[in-house]
Amino acid sequence: MARIGTYNLQVGEKEVPLDIYKERRASVRISIGKKSLILRVPSMVPHDMLQQHIDWAQKWIAKQLHKNPTILDRFILKVYEDGDLIHITDKTYQLRIREEHRKTNSGEVLDDTLLLKLSRGLTPDQKQTVISKLIRRLVAIDRTPDVSERILQLNDQYFQKPIKDVKLKYNTSNWGSCSSSSNINISTRLLLAPREVQDYVFIHELAHLEEMNHSPRFWKIVSDVMPDYMEKEEWLKKNGHLCRL
């Protein structure tokens, strides 16, 4: 696989990044990645045909945007300012940002305050990237005990299976995971979802302690505990893109 480069597509009033890759493949494929659209073309495609594929990608994303106007929100950089309030489940944090003469960036949780200490001289984009990473890290540290307690409650109530560890980390590829060694990982993004949706993901991962695949038996375990779990799945599909830190 070889990356050709990044292009900016103008779709209405939005500018959409497009990463193009050449691969050993027979057809053209487009997908929506974490930070850009991804266009995969055959490695032997002539250079003069590349623009045709880019034009096709532009029309494709325009159609998708018409169906779902929020589909490109994931590409918009979230901007934080000093004094912002950040709502996480049942807790509200106030963000305090200090720029100092320092080489490193750090942060700490002080009751309901997220105090960030940033190095002076960061570009606006660098600053927002650093702020986001620090917020995710601090929220994970602060909320892990509550998430762990809730998962253990649900486990005691419905599963009674041994759990080795519960961890919170920022993950965009899934909402949670359960390893064969009984470690449960939850994405901090989930903390921006309603409580009942969080419980669904917790139950989903706990069910993997009994069944590690997504077989009919697995879904029977989930539905026995939460009969309306499909409503929670639908909420995540429709609103998951809004769960960003």
Side-chain angles (χ1 to χ4, degrees):
M1 181 174 67
R3 183 170 178 274
I4 299 176
T6 299
Y7 296 75
N8 289 319
L9 301 181
Q10 194 67 36
V11 183
E13 296 180 354
K14 298 180 181 291
E15 194 171 82
V16 185
L18 173 71
D19 286 326
I20 303 178
Y21 295 86
K22 281 190 175 182
E23 300 178 337
R24 289 186 177 181
R25 58 186 303 115
S27 59
V28 178
R29 182 176 181 272
I30 189 169
S31 60
I32 301 176
K34 298 176 185 177
K35 298 181 179 180
S36 68
L37 295 178
I38 299 174
L39 181 65
R40 305 177 189 277
V41 301
S43 56
M44 300 304 292
V45 67
H47 187 74
D48 57 359
M49 287 188 63
L50 192 59
Q51 187 58 48
Q52 295 180 30
H53 296 312
I54 295 174
D55 293 341
W56 171 78
Q58 188 170 22
K59 293 176 182 177
W60 180 87
I61 193 58
K63 289 181 180 178
Q64 303 308 310
L65 189 61
H66 179 73
K67 295 177 184 177
N68 182 1
T70 65
I71 198 170
L72 300 179
D73 287 357
R74 70 186 70 187
F75 302 144
I76 301 173
L77 182 66
K78 198 173 180 83
V79 177
Y80 290 102
E81 301 289 347
D82 181 54
D84 282 353
L85 297 179
I86 302 173
H87 305 285
I88 305 291
T89 311
D90 58 354
K91 186 171 183 178
T92 298
Y93 299 93
Q94 183 173 43
L95 182 63
R96 307 305 304 186
I97 302 172
R98 301 287 181 263
E99 295 186 60
E100 304 174 348
H101 292 292
R102 51 171 36 234
K103 293 182 179 180
T104 59
N105 306 292
S106 66
E108 59 183 321
V109 182
L110 301 174
D111 296 323
D112 295 338
T113 299
L114 300 179
L115 176 60
L116 310 187
K117 298 178 181 180
L118 309 183
S119 172
R120 291 189 187 276
L122 296 174
T123 67
D125 283 355
Q126 288 173 335
K127 181 179 176 180
Q128 292 303 322
T129 297
V130 168
I131 290 173
S132 292
K133 288 182 178 178
L134 289 174
I135 290 174
R136 294 165 190 165
R137 186 185 308 160
L138 295 175
V139 167
I141 293 171
D142 194 50
R143 302 303 290 179
T144 292
D146 291 332
V147 170
S148 181
E149 180 181 4
R150 181 56 179 161
I151 289 175
L152 292 176
Q153 287 175 349
L154 292 169
N155 183 49
D156 289 342
Q157 185 174 357
Y158 298 109
F159 300 95
Q160 296 88 47
K161 294 292 183 179
I163 298 175
K164 187 176 180 181
D165 197 10
V166 175
K167 292 183 179 179
L168 270 175
K169 60 181 181 179
Y170 187 74
N171 191 343
T172 59
S173 61
N174 57 44
W175 297 104
S177 63
C178 178
S179 71
S180 57
S181 55
S182 301
N183 289 311
I184 293 179
N185 295 308
I186 300 297
S187 174
T188 51
R189 295 185 303 129
L190 184 64
L191 301 181
L192 298 173
R195 278 278 195 185
E196 61 271 18
V197 175
Q198 295 180 33
D199 278 352
Y200 159 63
V201 175
F202 299 159
I203 289 167
H204 183 115
E205 301 312 328
L206 286 166
H208 280 309
L209 296 174
E210 295 189 20
E211 192 75 17
M212 286 302 293
N213 52 41
H214 289 104
S215 63
R217 181 175 181 273
F218 167 83
W219 290 112
K220 176 66 165 54
I221 294 170
V222 174
S223 63
D224 284 347
V225 176
M226 182 177 276
D228 62 348
Y229 78 90
M230 291 187 69
E231 294 179 8
K232 282 59 177 178
E233 281 264 3
E234 189 64 22
W235 190 96
L236 289 171
K237 289 178 182 178
K238 289 183 177 180
N239 303 287
H241 66 282
L242 299 174
C243 298
R244 296 191 301 154
L245 282 172

